[in-house]
Amino acid sequence: MKRIEIPAEAAVSVVLKARQTCRIVNTEGGQVVDTWAFCVDDADEYLSMEHSRSANYTLLFKPGERLFSNRFRPLLRLLDDTSPGYHDTLHAACSAGSNRFYNAPREYPNCQDNLLRQMADRGIRLEHVPCPWNVFEHALVGQDYALADEASAAAPGDYVELEALEDLILVCSACPSRVGRISGDLPRGAAIDILQDG
Ligand SMILES: [Zn+2]
């Protein structure tokens, strides 16, 4: 097992080979981790929340379900989840624009820039930022379809375990956003544990 730490307010990226498994770990608890995946061969094919919701007919993915690309191909399988199971699939990544929109008191680091930097470091310039899978984010959908936020209920050490179904670049950002207090009061780090070689 190899652990890759995700510093608070920052992102890391790893290449997962097909059949390789990993865990996204909430090391300190209560931290939202914006997560993306892109095909190694062609970053224009990426993990798509809208395709994954349609494929599974749900807003929240459960162990055993697969997550799909924008071309409706399965990219990841959710193998296990020790958290309360809330992993938002609806909200855009935080960004310089969202910081302005929500009147953030200062220009926080943001997940969108974190993603673009990680991909640029790999020589990939993204034309489009997909909706992230907001792992550990507890967004609620009301009876009237209004959205609400709760602080993440993930406990220290909670994880989601994933199997790559294609060769993927996985990008995880420890979300710095203060909007809705989705990660409670403090930005914290997280980790990716690489469990097994593909
Ligand atoms: Zn964020």
Side-chain angles (χ1 to χ4, degrees), residues 82-115:
T82 68
S83 81
Y86 299 105
H87 310 291
D88 168 67
T89 67
L90 297 173
H91 284 292
C94 65
S95 61
S98 72
N99 281 330
R100 281 192 299 275
F101 181 83
Y102 293 112
N103 298 311
R106 66 175 174 83
E107 189 57 48
Y108 298 114
N110 65 78
C111 291
Q112 177 165 308
D113 286 348
N114 286 349
L115 166 69

PDB file of all heavy atoms in Angstrom, residues 82-115:
ATOM      1  N   THR A  82     -16.951   3.402   3.715  1.00  0.00           N
ATOM      2  CA  THR A  82     -17.120   3.326   5.175  1.00  0.00           C
ATOM      3  C   THR A  82     -17.749   4.594   5.733  1.00  0.00           C
ATOM      4  O   THR A  82     -18.018   4.664   6.934  1.00  0.00           O
ATOM      5  CB  THR A  82     -15.764   3.100   5.884  1.00  0.00           C
ATOM      6  OG1 THR A  82     -14.963   4.268   5.731  1.00  0.00           O
ATOM      7  CG2 THR A  82     -15.038   1.882   5.318  1.00  0.00           C
ATOM      8  N   SER A  83     -17.961   5.603   4.891  1.00  0.00           N
ATOM      9  CA  SER A  83     -18.534   6.874   5.339  1.00  0.00           C
ATOM     10  C   SER A  83     -20.051   6.753   5.396  1.00  0.00           C
ATOM     11  O   SER A  83     -20.613   5.738   4.990  1.00  0.00           O
ATOM     12  CB  SER A  83     -18.137   7.988   4.358  1.00  0.00           C
ATOM     13  OG  SER A  83     -18.998   7.959   3.222  1.00  0.00           O
ATOM     14  N   PRO A  84     -20.760   7.816   5.860  1.00  0.00           N
ATOM     15  CA  PRO A  84     -22.228   7.769   5.830  1.00  0.00           C
ATOM     16  C   PRO A  84     -22.824   7.681   4.425  1.00  0.00           C
ATOM     17  O   PRO A  84     -24.038   7.511   4.279  1.00  0.00           O
ATOM     18  CB  PRO A  84     -22.634   9.075   6.529  1.00  0.00           C
ATOM     19  CG  PRO A  84     -21.470   9.414   7.409  1.00  0.00           C
ATOM     20  CD  PRO A  84     -20.259   8.973   6.641  1.00  0.00           C
ATOM     21  N   GLY A  85     -22.000   7.828   3.384  1.00  0.00           N
ATOM     22  CA  GLY A  85     -22.489   7.542   2.034  1.00  0.00           C
ATOM     23  C   GLY A  85     -22.907   8.750   1.219  1.00  0.00           C
ATOM     24  O   GLY A  85     -23.435   8.604   0.125  1.00  0.00           O
ATOM     25  N   TYR A  86     -22.663   9.961   1.726  1.00  0.00           N
ATOM     26  CA  TYR A  86     -23.041  11.166   0.992  1.00  0.00           C
ATOM     27  C   TYR A  86     -21.844  11.666   0.186  1.00  0.00           C
ATOM     28  O   TYR A  86     -20.820  12.067   0.759  1.00  0.00           O
ATOM     29  CB  TYR A  86     -23.518  12.257   1.951  1.00  0.00           C
ATOM     30  CG  TYR A  86     -24.735  11.836   2.734  1.00  0.00           C
ATOM     31  CD1 TYR A  86     -24.636  11.493   4.071  1.00  0.00           C
ATOM     32  CD2 TYR A  86     -25.980  11.765   2.118  1.00  0.00           C
ATOM     33  CE1 TYR A  86     -25.759  11.091   4.784  1.00  0.00           C
ATOM     34  CE2 TYR A  86     -27.109  11.357   2.823  1.00  0.00           C
ATOM     35  CZ  TYR A  86     -26.991  11.023   4.151  1.00  0.00           C
ATOM     36  OH  TYR A  86     -28.086  10.622   4.848  1.00  0.00           O
ATOM     37  N   HIS A  87     -21.998  11.637  -1.129  1.00  0.00           N
ATOM     38  CA  HIS A  87     -20.924  12.082  -2.025  1.00  0.00           C
ATOM     39  C   HIS A  87     -21.616  12.851  -3.148  1.00  0.00           C
ATOM     40  O   HIS A  87     -22.059  12.255  -4.138  1.00  0.00           O
ATOM     41  CB  HIS A  87     -20.142  10.888  -2.582  1.00  0.00           C
ATOM     42  CG  HIS A  87     -19.688   9.925  -1.523  1.00  0.00           C
ATOM     43  ND1 HIS A  87     -18.708  10.257  -0.604  1.00  0.00           N
ATOM     44  CD2 HIS A  87     -20.088   8.668  -1.227  1.00  0.00           C
ATOM     45  CE1 HIS A  87     -18.519   9.213   0.212  1.00  0.00           C
ATOM     46  NE2 HIS A  87     -19.337   8.251  -0.147  1.00  0.00           N
ATOM     47  N   ASP A  88     -21.712  14.144  -2.991  1.00  0.00           N
ATOM     48  CA  ASP A  88     -22.518  14.978  -3.889  1.00  0.00           C
ATOM     49  C   ASP A  88     -22.107  14.789  -5.347  1.00  0.00           C
ATOM     50  O   ASP A  88     -20.917  14.701  -5.664  1.00  0.00           O
ATOM     51  CB  ASP A  88     -22.347  16.452  -3.492  1.00  0.00           C
ATOM     52  CG  ASP A  88     -22.915  17.366  -4.541  1.00  0.00           C
ATOM     53  OD1 ASP A  88     -24.147  17.352  -4.709  1.00  0.00           O
ATOM     54  OD2 ASP A  88     -22.137  18.051  -5.222  1.00  0.00           O
ATOM     55  N   THR A  89     -23.115  14.771  -6.220  1.00  0.00           N
ATOM     56  CA  THR A  89     -22.862  14.638  -7.659  1.00  0.00           C
ATOM     57  C   THR A  89     -23.396  15.839  -8.441  1.00  0.00           C
ATOM     58  O   THR A  89     -23.442  15.788  -9.664  1.00  0.00           O
ATOM     59  CB  THR A  89     -23.543  13.360  -8.199  1.00  0.00           C
ATOM     60  OG1 THR A  89     -24.978  13.517  -8.116  1.00  0.00           O
ATOM     61  CG2 THR A  89     -23.131  12.123  -7.415  1.00  0.00           C
ATOM     62  N   LEU A  90     -23.805  16.898  -7.731  1.00  0.00           N
ATOM     63  CA  LEU A  90     -24.545  17.988  -8.372  1.00  0.00           C
ATOM     64  C   LEU A  90     -23.778  19.298  -8.470  1.00  0.00           C
ATOM     65  O   LEU A  90     -24.008  20.072  -9.394  1.00  0.00           O
ATOM     66  CB  LEU A  90     -25.849  18.243  -7.603  1.00  0.00           C
ATOM     67  CG  LEU A  90     -26.836  17.079  -7.592  1.00  0.00           C
ATOM     68  CD1 LEU A  90     -27.995  17.379  -6.659  1.00  0.00           C
ATOM     69  CD2 LEU A  90     -27.342  16.778  -8.988  1.00  0.00           C
ATOM     70  N   HIS A  91     -22.909  19.583  -7.502  1.00  0.00           N
ATOM     71  CA  HIS A  91     -22.335  20.922  -7.419  1.00  0.00           C
ATOM     72  C   HIS A  91     -21.070  21.069  -8.266  1.00  0.00           C
ATOM     73  O   HIS A  91     -20.214  20.188  -8.289  1.00  0.00           O
ATOM     74  CB  HIS A  91     -21.991  21.270  -5.969  1.00  0.00           C
ATOM     75  CG  HIS A  91     -23.191  21.626  -5.153  1.00  0.00           C
ATOM     76  ND1 HIS A  91     -23.921  22.771  -5.381  1.00  0.00           N
ATOM     77  CD2 HIS A  91     -23.792  21.001  -4.124  1.00  0.00           C
ATOM     78  CE1 HIS A  91     -24.923  22.829  -4.515  1.00  0.00           C
ATOM     79  NE2 HIS A  91     -24.869  21.771  -3.748  1.00  0.00           N
ATOM     80  N   ALA A  92     -20.972  22.232  -8.903  1.00  0.00           N
ATOM     81  CA  ALA A  92     -19.752  22.593  -9.624  1.00  0.00           C
ATOM     82  C   ALA A  92     -18.587  22.697  -8.640  1.00  0.00           C
ATOM     83  O   ALA A  92     -18.788  22.942  -7.436  1.00  0.00           O
ATOM     84  CB  ALA A  92     -19.950  23.931 -10.332  1.00  0.00           C
ATOM     85  N   ALA A  93     -17.374  22.535  -9.157  1.00  0.00           N
ATOM     86  CA  ALA A  93     -16.185  22.757  -8.331  1.00  0.00           C
ATOM     87  C   ALA A  93     -16.138  24.214  -7.897  1.00  0.00           C
ATOM     88  O   ALA A  93     -16.574  25.113  -8.628  1.00  0.00           O
ATOM     89  CB  ALA A  93     -14.931  22.411  -9.129  1.00  0.00           C
ATOM     90  N   CYS A  94     -15.564  24.456  -6.718  1.00  0.00           N
ATOM     91  CA  CYS A  94     -15.306  25.842  -6.342  1.00  0.00           C
ATOM     92  C   CYS A  94     -14.234  26.401  -7.268  1.00  0.00           C
ATOM     93  O   CYS A  94     -13.401  25.665  -7.811  1.00  0.00           O
ATOM     94  CB  CYS A  94     -14.918  25.961  -4.870  1.00  0.00           C
ATOM     95  SG  CYS A  94     -13.361  25.180  -4.410  1.00  0.00           S
ATOM     96  N   SER A  95     -14.291  27.710  -7.482  1.00  0.00           N
ATOM     97  CA  SER A  95     -13.432  28.354  -8.481  1.00  0.00           C
ATOM     98  C   SER A  95     -13.273  29.819  -8.101  1.00  0.00           C
ATOM     99  O   SER A  95     -13.950  30.306  -7.174  1.00  0.00           O
ATOM    100  CB  SER A  95     -14.094  28.258  -9.869  1.00  0.00           C
ATOM    101  OG  SER A  95     -15.349  28.932  -9.844  1.00  0.00           O
ATOM    102  N   ALA A  96     -12.412  30.529  -8.840  1.00  0.00           N
ATOM    103  CA  ALA A  96     -12.308  31.974  -8.608  1.00  0.00           C
ATOM    104  C   ALA A  96     -13.671  32.614  -8.817  1.00  0.00           C
ATOM    105  O   ALA A  96     -14.082  33.515  -8.073  1.00  0.00           O
ATOM    106  CB  ALA A  96     -11.266  32.577  -9.545  1.00  0.00           C
ATOM    107  N   GLY A  97     -14.402  32.133  -9.823  1.00  0.00           N
ATOM    108  CA  GLY A  97     -15.738  32.669 -10.099  1.00  0.00           C
ATOM    109  C   GLY A  97     -16.701  32.416  -8.956  1.00  0.00           C
ATOM    110  O   GLY A  97     -17.475  33.308  -8.579  1.00  0.00           O
ATOM    111  N   SER A  98     -16.675  31.207  -8.392  1.00  0.00           N
ATOM    112  CA  SER A  98     -17.618  30.933  -7.285  1.00  0.00           C
ATOM    113  C   SER A  98     -17.228  31.720  -6.047  1.00  0.00           C
ATOM    114  O   SER A  98     -18.088  32.159  -5.284  1.00  0.00           O
ATOM    115  CB  SER A  98     -17.701  29.429  -6.993  1.00  0.00           C
ATOM    116  OG  SER A  98     -16.542  28.938  -6.364  1.00  0.00           O
ATOM    117  N   ASN A  99     -15.928  31.921  -5.821  1.00  0.00           N
ATOM    118  CA  ASN A  99     -15.512  32.756  -4.686  1.00  0.00           C
ATOM    119  C   ASN A  99     -16.079  34.166  -4.810  1.00  0.00           C
ATOM    120  O   ASN A  99     -16.553  34.751  -3.827  1.00  0.00           O
ATOM    121  CB  ASN A  99     -13.984  32.811  -4.585  1.00  0.00           C
ATOM    122  CG  ASN A  99     -13.400  31.568  -3.937  1.00  0.00           C
ATOM    123  OD1 ASN A  99     -14.037  30.932  -3.100  1.00  0.00           O
ATOM    124  ND2 ASN A  99     -12.185  31.205  -4.328  1.00  0.00           N
ATOM    125  N   ARG A 100     -16.063  34.705  -6.055  1.00  0.00           N
ATOM    126  CA  ARG A 100     -16.644  36.041  -6.270  1.00  0.00           C
ATOM    127  C   ARG A 100     -18.159  35.993  -6.088  1.00  0.00           C
ATOM    128  O   ARG A 100     -18.750  36.827  -5.405  1.00  0.00           O
ATOM    129  CB  ARG A 100     -16.315  36.549  -7.679  1.00  0.00           C
ATOM    130  CG  ARG A 100     -14.920  37.108  -7.825  1.00  0.00           C
ATOM    131  CD  ARG A 100     -14.754  37.856  -9.155  1.00  0.00           C
ATOM    132  NE  ARG A 100     -14.960  36.988 -10.315  1.00  0.00           N
ATOM    133  CZ  ARG A 100     -14.001  36.221 -10.853  1.00  0.00           C
ATOM    134  NH1 ARG A 100     -12.781  36.219 -10.339  1.00  0.00           N
ATOM    135  NH2 ARG A 100     -14.256  35.477 -11.902  1.00  0.00           N
ATOM    136  N   PHE A 101     -18.783  34.982  -6.701  1.00  0.00           N
ATOM    137  CA  PHE A 101     -20.255  34.873  -6.681  1.00  0.00           C
ATOM    138  C   PHE A 101     -20.785  34.813  -5.255  1.00  0.00           C
ATOM    139  O   PHE A 101     -21.805  35.430  -4.930  1.00  0.00           O
ATOM    140  CB  PHE A 101     -20.689  33.633  -7.468  1.00  0.00           C
ATOM    141  CG  PHE A 101     -22.174  33.432  -7.524  1.00  0.00           C
ATOM    142  CD1 PHE A 101     -22.943  34.105  -8.472  1.00  0.00           C
ATOM    143  CD2 PHE A 101     -22.816  32.591  -6.641  1.00  0.00           C
ATOM    144  CE1 PHE A 101     -24.317  33.938  -8.526  1.00  0.00           C
ATOM    145  CE2 PHE A 101     -24.191  32.415  -6.681  1.00  0.00           C
ATOM    146  CZ  PHE A 101     -24.942  33.087  -7.625  1.00  0.00           C
ATOM    147  N   TYR A 102     -20.105  34.027  -4.408  1.00  0.00           N
ATOM    148  CA  TYR A 102     -20.582  33.852  -3.033  1.00  0.00           C
ATOM    149  C   TYR A 102     -19.933  34.850  -2.057  1.00  0.00           C
ATOM    150  O   TYR A 102     -20.025  34.685  -0.844  1.00  0.00           O
ATOM    151  CB  TYR A 102     -20.324  32.424  -2.560  1.00  0.00           C
ATOM    152  CG  TYR A 102     -21.150  31.390  -3.288  1.00  0.00           C
ATOM    153  CD1 TYR A 102     -20.556  30.478  -4.150  1.00  0.00           C
ATOM    154  CD2 TYR A 102     -22.535  31.327  -3.115  1.00  0.00           C
ATOM    155  CE1 TYR A 102     -21.310  29.526  -4.819  1.00  0.00           C
ATOM    156  CE2 TYR A 102     -23.302  30.382  -3.784  1.00  0.00           C
ATOM    157  CZ  TYR A 102     -22.685  29.485  -4.634  1.00  0.00           C
ATOM    158  OH  TYR A 102     -23.435  28.549  -5.297  1.00  0.00           O
ATOM    159  N   ASN A 103     -19.265  35.889  -2.621  1.00  0.00           N
ATOM    160  CA  ASN A 103     -18.682  36.946  -1.778  1.00  0.00           C
ATOM    161  C   ASN A 103     -17.739  36.392  -0.725  1.00  0.00           C
ATOM    162  O   ASN A 103     -17.837  36.725   0.474  1.00  0.00           O
ATOM    163  CB  ASN A 103     -19.781  37.783  -1.103  1.00  0.00           C
ATOM    164  CG  ASN A 103     -20.652  38.493  -2.113  1.00  0.00           C
ATOM    165  OD1 ASN A 103     -20.127  39.138  -3.026  1.00  0.00           O
ATOM    166  ND2 ASN A 103     -21.965  38.363  -1.995  1.00  0.00           N
ATOM    167  N   ALA A 104     -16.829  35.542  -1.146  1.00  0.00           N
ATOM    168  CA  ALA A 104     -15.833  35.025  -0.206  1.00  0.00           C
ATOM    169  C   ALA A 104     -15.016  36.188   0.340  1.00  0.00           C
ATOM    170  O   ALA A 104     -14.707  37.145  -0.390  1.00  0.00           O
ATOM    171  CB  ALA A 104     -14.915  34.041  -0.928  1.00  0.00           C
ATOM    172  N   PRO A 105     -14.663  36.152   1.626  1.00  0.00           N
ATOM    173  CA  PRO A 105     -13.938  37.278   2.228  1.00  0.00           C
ATOM    174  C   PRO A 105     -12.539  37.462   1.658  1.00  0.00           C
ATOM    175  O   PRO A 105     -11.968  38.550   1.756  1.00  0.00           O
ATOM    176  CB  PRO A 105     -13.879  36.914   3.715  1.00  0.00           C
ATOM    177  CG  PRO A 105     -14.218  35.474   3.806  1.00  0.00           C
ATOM    178  CD  PRO A 105     -15.040  35.134   2.609  1.00  0.00           C
ATOM    179  N   ARG A 106     -11.989  36.425   1.052  1.00  0.00           N
ATOM    180  CA  ARG A 106     -10.713  36.592   0.347  1.00  0.00           C
ATOM    181  C   ARG A 106     -10.645  35.572  -0.776  1.00  0.00           C
ATOM    182  O   ARG A 106     -11.539  34.731  -0.915  1.00  0.00           O
ATOM    183  CB  ARG A 106      -9.531  36.435   1.308  1.00  0.00           C
ATOM    184  CG  ARG A 106      -9.369  35.042   1.884  1.00  0.00           C
ATOM    185  CD  ARG A 106      -8.104  34.951   2.736  1.00  0.00           C
ATOM    186  NE  ARG A 106      -7.985  33.684   3.417  1.00  0.00           N
ATOM    187  CZ  ARG A 106      -7.493  32.572   2.877  1.00  0.00           C
ATOM    188  NH1 ARG A 106      -7.094  32.568   1.612  1.00  0.00           N
ATOM    189  NH2 ARG A 106      -7.413  31.459   3.578  1.00  0.00           N
ATOM    190  N   GLU A 107      -9.623  35.673  -1.584  1.00  0.00           N
ATOM    191  CA  GLU A 107      -9.482  34.766  -2.723  1.00  0.00           C
ATOM    192  C   GLU A 107      -8.848  33.462  -2.253  1.00  0.00           C
ATOM    193  O   GLU A 107      -7.630  33.324  -2.227  1.00  0.00           O
ATOM    194  CB  GLU A 107      -8.637  35.431  -3.819  1.00  0.00           C
ATOM    195  CG  GLU A 107      -8.606  34.670  -5.133  1.00  0.00           C
ATOM    196  CD  GLU A 107      -9.985  34.430  -5.730  1.00  0.00           C
ATOM    197  OE1 GLU A 107     -10.786  35.383  -5.803  1.00  0.00           O
ATOM    198  OE2 GLU A 107     -10.261  33.276  -6.096  1.00  0.00           O
ATOM    199  N   TYR A 108      -9.679  32.517  -1.817  1.00  0.00           N
ATOM    200  CA  TYR A 108      -9.158  31.226  -1.375  1.00  0.00           C
ATOM    201  C   TYR A 108      -8.588  30.464  -2.558  1.00  0.00           C
ATOM    202  O   TYR A 108      -9.000  30.680  -3.695  1.00  0.00           O
ATOM    203  CB  TYR A 108     -10.290  30.387  -0.758  1.00  0.00           C
ATOM    204  CG  TYR A 108     -10.929  30.979   0.450  1.00  0.00           C
ATOM    205  CD1 TYR A 108     -12.255  31.393   0.428  1.00  0.00           C
ATOM    206  CD2 TYR A 108     -10.217  31.124   1.631  1.00  0.00           C
ATOM    207  CE1 TYR A 108     -12.862  31.939   1.543  1.00  0.00           C
ATOM    208  CE2 TYR A 108     -10.818  31.662   2.759  1.00  0.00           C
ATOM    209  CZ  TYR A 108     -12.132  32.074   2.706  1.00  0.00           C
ATOM    210  OH  TYR A 108     -12.726  32.619   3.804  1.00  0.00           O
ATOM    211  N   PRO A 109      -7.677  29.543  -2.271  1.00  0.00           N
ATOM    212  CA  PRO A 109      -7.368  28.570  -3.326  1.00  0.00           C
ATOM    213  C   PRO A 109      -8.668  27.872  -3.715  1.00  0.00           C
ATOM    214  O   PRO A 109      -9.644  27.891  -2.952  1.00  0.00           O
ATOM    215  CB  PRO A 109      -6.410  27.591  -2.633  1.00  0.00           C
ATOM    216  CG  PRO A 109      -5.936  28.273  -1.410  1.00  0.00           C
ATOM    217  CD  PRO A 109      -7.004  29.255  -1.007  1.00  0.00           C
ATOM    218  N   ASN A 110      -8.703  27.255  -4.883  1.00  0.00           N
ATOM    219  CA  ASN A 110      -9.963  26.616  -5.296  1.00  0.00           C
ATOM    220  C   ASN A 110      -9.699  25.347  -6.084  1.00  0.00           C
ATOM    221  O   ASN A 110      -8.630  25.156  -6.676  1.00  0.00           O
ATOM    222  CB  ASN A 110     -10.823  27.600  -6.085  1.00  0.00           C
ATOM    223  CG  ASN A 110     -10.183  27.997  -7.398  1.00  0.00           C
ATOM    224  OD1 ASN A 110     -10.229  27.237  -8.357  1.00  0.00           O
ATOM    225  ND2 ASN A 110      -9.542  29.170  -7.446  1.00  0.00           N
ATOM    226  N   CYS A 111     -10.711  24.467  -6.078  1.00  0.00           N
ATOM    227  CA  CYS A 111     -10.544  23.140  -6.679  1.00  0.00           C
ATOM    228  C   CYS A 111     -10.360  23.208  -8.194  1.00  0.00           C
ATOM    229  O   CYS A 111      -9.635  22.401  -8.775  1.00  0.00           O
ATOM    230  CB  CYS A 111     -11.752  22.259  -6.340  1.00  0.00           C
ATOM    231  SG  CYS A 111     -11.825  21.818  -4.584  1.00  0.00           S
ATOM    232  N   GLN A 112     -11.032  24.170  -8.838  1.00  0.00           N
ATOM    233  CA  GLN A 112     -10.897  24.251 -10.297  1.00  0.00           C
ATOM    234  C   GLN A 112      -9.456  24.567 -10.694  1.00  0.00           C
ATOM    235  O   GLN A 112      -8.884  23.903 -11.561  1.00  0.00           O
ATOM    236  CB  GLN A 112     -11.850  25.309 -10.846  1.00  0.00           C
ATOM    237  CG  GLN A 112     -11.719  25.502 -12.352  1.00  0.00           C
ATOM    238  CD  GLN A 112     -12.877  26.263 -12.945  1.00  0.00           C
ATOM    239  OE1 GLN A 112     -14.041  25.915 -12.727  1.00  0.00           O
ATOM    240  NE2 GLN A 112     -12.582  27.308 -13.696  1.00  0.00           N
ATOM    241  N   ASP A 113      -8.863  25.578 -10.054  1.00  0.00           N
ATOM    242  CA  ASP A 113      -7.465  25.901 -10.360  1.00  0.00           C
ATOM    243  C   ASP A 113      -6.541  24.752  -9.963  1.00  0.00           C
ATOM    244  O   ASP A 113      -5.546  24.471 -10.652  1.00  0.00           O
ATOM    245  CB  ASP A 113      -7.035  27.181  -9.642  1.00  0.00           C
ATOM    246  CG  ASP A 113      -7.640  28.434 -10.282  1.00  0.00           C
ATOM    247  OD1 ASP A 113      -8.196  28.332 -11.395  1.00  0.00           O
ATOM    248  OD2 ASP A 113      -7.563  29.502  -9.654  1.00  0.00           O
ATOM    249  N   ASN A 114      -6.865  24.086  -8.834  1.00  0.00           N
ATOM    250  CA  ASN A 114      -6.055  22.927  -8.424  1.00  0.00           C
ATOM    251  C   ASN A 114      -6.058  21.862  -9.511  1.00  0.00           C
ATOM    252  O   ASN A 114      -5.015  21.275  -9.842  1.00  0.00           O
ATOM    253  CB  ASN A 114      -6.617  22.318  -7.134  1.00  0.00           C
ATOM    254  CG  ASN A 114      -6.322  23.158  -5.902  1.00  0.00           C
ATOM    255  OD1 ASN A 114      -5.539  24.092  -5.942  1.00  0.00           O
ATOM    256  ND2 ASN A 114      -6.965  22.804  -4.793  1.00  0.00           N
ATOM    257  N   LEU A 115      -7.245  21.590 -10.072  1.00  0.00           N
ATOM    258  CA  LEU A 115      -7.355  20.580 -11.142  1.00  0.00           C
ATOM    259  C   LEU A 115      -6.555  21.000 -12.373  1.00  0.00           C
ATOM    260  O   LEU A 115      -5.773  20.216 -12.926  1.00  0.00           O
ATOM    261  CB  LEU A 115      -8.830  20.398 -11.526  1.00  0.00           C
ATOM    262  CG  LEU A 115      -9.058  19.640 -12.838  1.00  0.00           C
ATOM    263  CD1 LEU A 115      -8.677  18.171 -12.695  1.00  0.00           C
ATOM    264  CD2 LEU A 115     -10.501  19.782 -13.315  1.00  0.00           C
TER     265      LEU A 115
END
